[in-house]
Amino acid sequence: MELEEMKQKWSLLSERLDRTEVLRRRDMECLFRRRAGSYLHYMWFVELSGFAALPLIVAIGKYRGVADSVIWPLVGIVLCFAALWTWALYLMSRVVGCRGSLVEVETRMTRFTLFMRIYLFQAVLFVILLPTVMVVRAADYYTAHGMWWIVAGSCGLALVLCFAMIGWERNRIRELRRRLRDLREFRDA
């Protein structure tokens, strides 16, 4: 009799453990999807901010009398980065929207991570090169009007913001990859 009761209790505990593991996995998946969705919303905000900055760039440039040869290349570069960011948005939306296997989610996240590494490297390169080119092209204008400090301040601010954004992006991507790795390890255990 005791053996029969122990078998029943054992099977009951085994079922509870299975349900608990299923619930824990579901919670881990939901947490990953929420974090990825939050990151996607952040990316949309950055995209819209970039487009909102374009009229501001042109208006400030025209108001200050900056040459069109300086304003329009800057607008072109902002549009190029917006196009690349749109592709990053597409890749991240595929990660968030993937309802397939965990392997497929990991593959999409790996593609997104690789693209973001390239994108962030290009961002640093352009943030360093763009102000340098602008200073060289408009050096006469800025020195004649005593505004060299605006260019120097803009370059410094751009570098600080660029490195801050890169740090933020890298941390968010690392967190998503860590959560995905934890989910995979839980599944494999």
Side-chain angles (χ1 to χ4, degrees):
M1 196 65 175
E2 282 184 29
L3 184 60
E4 226 22 72
E5 287 178 19
M6 288 179 68
K7 284 182 180 179
Q8 288 176 351
K9 287 182 181 180
W10 182 262
S11 65
L12 181 65
L13 289 173
S14 178
E15 288 175 19
R16 284 185 187 171
L17 181 62
D18 290 341
R19 281 191 302 236
T20 304
E21 285 182 5
V22 167
L23 290 174
R24 184 166 177 230
R25 179 186 168 136
R26 190 177 308 147
D27 288 344
M28 290 174 75
E29 287 176 356
C30 286
L31 186 60
F32 170 76
R33 297 216 185 277
R34 276 194 304 239
R35 294 288 182 170
S38 171
Y39 187 57
L40 185 63
H41 289 296
Y42 159 77
M43 291 177 70
W44 272 109
F45 174 74
V46 170
E47 178 83 2
L48 295 175
S49 299
F51 283 123
L54 285 176
L56 186 65
I57 290 170
V58 174
I60 290 173
K62 294 291 185 178
Y63 175 75
R64 298 296 274 164
V66 177
D68 285 344
S69 62
V70 174
I71 295 172
W72 295 113
L74 181 61
V75 169
I77 288 172
V78 169
L79 288 175
C80 287
F81 275 108
L84 290 172
W85 194 258
T86 302
W87 182 253
L89 269 168
Y90 169 73
L91 291 175
M92 191 62 196
S93 66
R94 288 190 51 155
V95 169
V96 172
C98 182
R99 299 292 180 221
S101 68
L102 192 58
V103 173
E104 187 177 350
V105 173
E106 286 179 311
T107 302
R108 290 178 180 190
M109 189 65 196
T110 302
R111 287 180 189 152
F112 173 75
T113 304
L114 291 174
F115 179 79
M116 285 305 288
R117 284 182 184 159
I118 294 167
Y119 175 83
L120 294 174
F121 174 75
Q122 289 175 343
V124 169
L125 188 65
F126 278 111
V127 164
I128 292 171
L129 290 178
L130 179 66
T132 306
V133 169
M134 285 178 60
V135 168
V136 169
R137 287 191 71 155
D140 296 336
Y141 173 81
Y142 288 112
T143 53
H145 292 88
M147 294 190 306
W148 61 270
W149 58 272
I150 291 176
V151 176
S154 298
C155 293
L157 182 64
L159 281 173
V160 168
L161 288 175
C162 184
F163 284 114
M165 181 181 162
I166 286 171
W168 174 261
E169 295 290 332
R170 289 179 69 197
N171 287 337
R172 296 283 300 255
I173 292 170
R174 278 188 198 138
E175 180 187 355
L176 286 174
R177 291 189 63 83
R178 182 184 58 82
R179 290 195 183 281
L180 198 56
R181 185 180 61 245
D182 291 346
L183 187 60
R184 184 189 52 208
E185 288 172 359
F186 180 76
R187 183 199 64 189
D188 292 342

